[in-house]
Amino acid sequence: MTDTSRRERSPRLAVIGAGPAGLAAALAAVRHGLRVTLIDAAPEAGGQFYRQPAAGLGARRPQALHHRRRGWERLRAGLDREITAGLVTHLRDHHVWCVTGGQRSGFTVHALLGPEQEQPVEVRADAVLLATGGYEKVLPFPGWTLPGVVTAGGAQAMLKGGLVLPGRTAVVAGTGPLLLPVATGLAAAGARVAALVESADWRAVVRRSPALAAQPHKLAEGAHYAARLLRHRVRTLVHQAVVEAHGDQRLEAVTVAALDATGRVAPGTRRRVDCDTLAVGHGMLPHTDLAEALGCRIDGVAVHVDDEQRTDVPGVWAAGEATGIGGAELALAEGHIAGRSAAARLSGREPDPRGWAEAARIRAGLRRFAAAMDDAYAPPAHWAEQVTDDTVVCRCEEVTGGAVRRAVAELGAGDVRTVKLLTRAGMGWCQGRMCGPAVAGLAGCPETAARRPFARPVPLGVLARAGSTEDEQ
């Protein structure tokens, strides 16, 4: 039997997501004997971290948009080689909404294709690896729905993917490490960044210095961003927060206030900062919809995995931000381990952990680092106090903070699901992905992953065809 025929008979792994974790997993799996179908919603591989401008835009220096360009070039070259060799099938613009089946019968990945996302596509595989990434957590405040207010990641995506500035004078606010590259990227592209407003207390970072010091290259990366902020004369306001956005037809200014030791707004510290853009974010949350629909265990808000990155559903692996927010380097390590584990297991071999010992060492250190960062950069404890009763919390259904509070205080709602039933918060297009954390915070409920049957809206015609197909089978 030739190598080609052996490859054609080898198991097929469906990798969902072509960001750092998905790319690392696909390459590792192929190099150890599997065929891979790489499925991604974007027109090009890379995910948010390695997002590239469209070729038609004619970017003169695309490398300036990334501080890890060489790593991306190695991944891109490896993917191109495997695609040319016929070992990886890269399906672009495929929006996965569900995965069905199981290890014994094989899995079917259901996706939508086309400009209107109405053309159904089915991909068969022997196993599935979820590298679905994460999405931004945004907490509401008065004026946050004004045109000109965008998420921090949204501003970065506009700059990286479209070479577009969201505005000429920007404030970058919220909490978390993502604010640094967003602020420096906007400043380098020509925007005037009036302020970087970080709500975390620097003392919280100092208290976790042992865990942070264990990753000196991360500290050096932070110092690099700090130097760039100084070079662009960006004013950094620490332990402060944007508490209101102002404007008539669009954003004109924001109010910034200092926070006291408890996380409340300190009296007499409010001041106005003029701007036409506010890029705001409060960390990230894992994308777990596909994992939840498959029945995978969710720990808090992340997919539970073992040392091989296996979920508790046979034949399903997960890697990257879906298993816990930790950044691109951690995602690469987890993807490598998951790909090698899947290759061994699907080939009937017992995996040898020595083959990924270095990746496991990196994973352990970066998970500790991520946990320390998550604690240090938690949103202010009393952020909900700044949400007025007329502030829109659920944008899809236009549910206000007052409606959520009344559902709890007057109607006896004790959990997010009951609040949803009483107010319609979370029943709109995004199905609570954007407003879920805000509703939970206002209701005083724990933040947990909400189980949804589909990962994205699906036309009824597609569901009907999918149902009839399964009935025939």
Side-chain angles (χ1 to χ4, degrees), residues 177 204-215 325 365-378:
V205 179
V206 171
R207 284 195 296 270
R208 291 159 181 83
S209 56
L212 303 181
Q215 301 292 326
I325 304 302
L366 289 176
R367 281 181 175 174
R368 289 191 294 270
F369 180 85
M373 294 289 279
D374 195 48
D375 289 342
Y377 288 100

Side-chain angles (χ1 to χ4, degrees), residues 9 22 30 40 43 45 85 101-102 120 139 184 229 242 255 259 319 340 367 377 409 419 430 444-445 457 464:
R9 294 168 61 90
V30 162
D40 193 61
L139 302 176
T184 55
L229 291 174
V242 168
T255 293
L259 303 175
R340 291 194 60 152
R367 281 181 175 174
Y377 288 100
V419 172
C430 83
C445 302

Side-chain angles (χ1 to χ4, degrees), residues 53-60 160-164:
L57 294 176
R60 292 193 300 270
K160 283 184 175 182
L163 304 180
V164 173

